[in-house]
């Protein structure tokens, strides 16, 4: 939660009066939030946005007359910066539509289905999921508009450059809020012959991660797969942690292997967790690890990035200006653990540069090397 004292007005859009009532109760339980209005379909919602000027919209996907995707597309033409959280079902159809919405410019999503412990527990679960996201997205725009100047939001300078201590043999990526769109921009920019394995954690439920892996695979030159556990970790594949399970790296005489685990408790309220993956990587590869932290809420990845740096590995984070929420990368940067802070469009290039530099005796990667990488990406 934010301690700024700011007051945020929320518009709720859902065709179910019961859902609108539950969401109203959840949001109204926070003294810094106010339900400015509700709408039962997208057409009404667009009218209410113009009238009420909310700070954020919670938008259902499946609605009569004008569904969530059509509403979002129309909304983004006029309100490019208005935060939108999709309220989606945990079905294949709902997950696919949610990924479409994130591509169209939605900032985040909250699943409708909750645990089976009863209504009170489900509402409490929703409260813990939705309210922090509302605060993070609304506060993000306050910071960007300089209406909330705070020392902790100042962008730190990267630490002095360090000579690579080890050859990089593994890249691990952690991402949350805004992640699907970020990954759709980063992964296609990696060359087909990228020389080390890549393993990723994106905070998402199970049905979402399978679909996300398929979508990323359709855009990337390197195959992208959802990990099942037991796969040998080799170059030529990018592995995505399955939703609801931690993903770890184990080693044997035959090499490195992936392991999934749903018995370990959530870490930083997340399963899969960035810290769990990164820490398992450090245990196996030590300073031969490059950690990448992209946009996301919270601080998952902070502890393990400290371990990566302490072991002699390297860390790259996304900058504040291009992050949907500068929580995870910001925590690492403010702790002085980032070797490089880059805008999203430069993250892939920075990863390639650092990996290649660590793996050659010929010195730093030149602009011609990077151009050659782009040449390979175009299938030339």
């Amino acid at each position: 939660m934010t301690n700024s004292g700011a007051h945020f007005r929320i518009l709720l859009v859902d065709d179910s009066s019961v859902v609108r009532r539950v969401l109203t109760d959840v949001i109204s339980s926070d003294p810094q939030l106010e339900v400015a209005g509700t709408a039962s379909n997208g057409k009404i919602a667009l009218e209410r946005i113009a009238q009420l000027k909310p700070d954020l919209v919670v938008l259902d996907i499946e609605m009569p007359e004008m569904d969530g995707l059509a509403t979002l597309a129309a909304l983004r033409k006029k309100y490019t910066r208005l935060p939108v959280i999709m309220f989606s079902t945990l079905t294949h159809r709902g997950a696919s539509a949610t990924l479409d919405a994130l591509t169209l410019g939605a900032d985040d999503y909250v699943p409708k289905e909750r645990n089976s412990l009863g209504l009170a527990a489900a509402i409490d679960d929703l409260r813990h999921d939705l309210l922090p996201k509302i605060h993070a997205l609304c506060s993000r725009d306050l910071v960007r508009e300089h209406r909330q100047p705070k020392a902790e939001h100042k962008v730190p300078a990267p630490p002095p450059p360090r000579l690579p201590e080890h050859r990089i043999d593994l890249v691990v990526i952690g991402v949350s809020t805004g992640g699907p769109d970020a990954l759709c921009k980063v992964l296609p920019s990696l060359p087909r012959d990228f020389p080390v394995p890549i393993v990723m954690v994106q905070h998402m439920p199970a049905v979402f991660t399978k679909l996300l892996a398929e979508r990323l695979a359709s855009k990337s030159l390197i195959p992208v797969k959802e990990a099942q556990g037991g796969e040998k970790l080799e170059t030529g594949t990018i592995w995505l942690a399955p939703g609801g399970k931690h993903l770890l790296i184990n080693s044997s005489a035959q090499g490195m292997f992936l392991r999934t685990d749903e018995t370990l408790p959530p870490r930083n309220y997340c399963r899969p967790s960035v810290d769990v993956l990164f820490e398992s990587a450090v245990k196996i590869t030590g300073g031969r690890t490059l950690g990448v932290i992209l946009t996301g809420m919270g601080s998952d990845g902070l502890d393990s990035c400290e371990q990566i740096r302490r072991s002699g590995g390297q860390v790259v984070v996304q900058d504040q200006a291009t992050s949907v929420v500068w929580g995870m990368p910001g925590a690492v940067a403010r702790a002085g653990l980032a070797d490089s802070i880059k805008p999203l469009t430069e993250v892939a290039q920075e990863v390639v540069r650092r990996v290649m530099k660590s793996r050659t005796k010929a010195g730093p990667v030149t602009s011609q090397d990077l151009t050659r990488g782009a040449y390979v990406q175009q299938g030339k």
Side-chain angles (χ1 to χ4, degrees):
M1 299 296 175
T2 180
N3 295 317
S4 67
H7 189 78
F8 302 123
R9 304 172 72 250
I10 315 302
L11 175 64
L12 304 178
V13 187
D14 197 293
D15 61 322
S16 167
S17 59
V18 174
V19 171
R20 294 197 302 272
R21 192 177 311 121
V22 169
L23 285 172
T24 297
D25 290 344
V26 167
I27 291 171
S28 299
S29 68
D30 188 313
Q32 292 180 311
L33 303 180
E34 170 194 353
V35 175
T38 63
S40 57
N41 63 51
K43 185 177 179 181
I44 298 172
L46 294 174
E47 296 172 355
R48 295 279 165 84
I49 291 172
Q51 296 166 356
L52 301 172
K53 296 180 173 54
D55 295 300
L56 180 142
V57 176
V58 177
L59 180 61
D60 186 23
I61 289 181
E62 297 183 11
M63 297 181 293
E65 190 166 355
M66 190 176 190
D67 67 14
L69 292 180
T71 305
L72 179 63
L75 182 157
R76 277 290 172 251
K77 290 179 181 178
K78 190 172 182 181
Y79 308 99
T80 57
R81 295 174 60 86
L82 178 63
V84 176
I85 296 176
M86 306 305 295
F87 201 41
S88 59
T89 56
L90 279 175
T91 62
H92 186 283
R93 178 179 173 182
S96 180
T98 301
L99 291 174
D100 288 339
L102 294 171
T103 301
L104 286 170
D107 296 276
D108 207 348
Y109 68 96
V110 171
K112 279 190 174 183
E113 287 82 357
R114 295 286 136 185
N115 57 47
S116 57
L117 300 178
L119 181 60
I123 291 175
D124 190 56
D125 191 34
L126 176 60
R127 182 180 293 111
H128 282 88
D129 192 7
L130 177 61
L131 298 188
K133 293 184 177 184
I134 291 176
H135 278 283
L137 291 170
C138 290
S139 299
R140 168 200 71 182
D141 288 336
L142 285 182
V143 171
R144 288 178 177 174
E145 294 168 16
H146 306 292
R147 290 191 281 141
Q148 191 187 35
K150 281 190 171 184
E152 63 264 31
H153 292 301
K154 291 180 180 178
V155 180
R162 300 181 304 155
L163 290 174
E165 299 179 37
H166 304 282
R167 156 183 161 136
I168 295 172
D169 286 338
L170 176 66
V171 172
V172 285
I173 300 175
V175 61
S176 186
T177 310
D181 188 53
L183 293 174
C184 281
K185 290 181 171 64
V186 171
L187 298 191
S189 297
L190 296 173
R192 191 190 310 274
D193 56 355
F194 190 71
V196 303
I198 300 173
V199 188
M200 310 185 300
V201 163
Q202 158 75 61
H203 296 155
M204 271 189 160
V207 66
F208 284 73
T209 50
K210 179 176 175 55
L211 287 172
L212 177 60
E214 292 172 357
R215 293 197 178 201
L216 293 172
S218 71
K219 299 174 182 294
S220 173
L221 291 170
I222 307 172
V224 182
K225 298 180 181 180
E226 182 188 51
Q228 302 301 311
E231 300 92 344
K232 187 174 183 180
L233 200 54
E234 297 178 317
T235 60
T237 304
I238 300 172
W239 297 100
L240 178 66
K245 300 178 182 180
H246 289 304
L247 184 62
L248 302 94
I249 299 172
N250 288 349
S251 67
S252 69
Q254 287 72 43
M256 294 188 292
F257 293 84
L258 296 174
R259 176 171 71 87
T260 60
D261 192 306
E262 53 190 326
T263 63
L264 290 173
R267 179 92 171 264
N268 302 308
Y269 306 102
C270 301
R271 190 169 58 199
S273 162
V274 176
D275 273 331
V276 170
L277 170 64
F278 281 25
E279 287 173 3
S280 74
V282 173
K283 288 179 181 177
I284 303 302
T285 61
R288 294 176 288 124
T289 306
L290 172 62
V292 182
I293 300 290
L294 304 178
T295 174
M297 280 179 52
S299 60
D300 193 20
L302 174 61
D303 292 344
S304 53
C305 280
E306 183 178 7
Q307 293 184 26
I308 290 174
R309 283 293 301 266
R310 195 186 313 128
S311 70
Q314 301 178 50
V315 175
V316 173
V317 304
Q318 184 178 350
D319 72 356
Q320 183 172 16
T322 62
S323 295
V324 173
V325 176
W326 208 53
M328 288 163 48
V332 173
R334 283 191 289 270
L337 300 173
D339 290 285
S340 181
I341 303 172
K342 292 290 184 181
L344 185 63
T345 54
E346 298 178 21
V347 168
Q349 184 183 47
E350 181 71 1
V351 169
V352 171
R353 186 184 74 81
R354 288 180 175 274
V355 169
M356 298 305 295
K357 184 175 181 179
S358 78
R359 296 173 67 83
T360 178
K361 296 180 180 179
V365 174
T366 66
S367 59
Q368 285 136 333
D369 294 327
L370 293 174
T371 302
R372 178 182 174 278
Y375 193 73
V376 171
Q377 292 168 39
Q378 293 166 8
K380 305 289 185 174

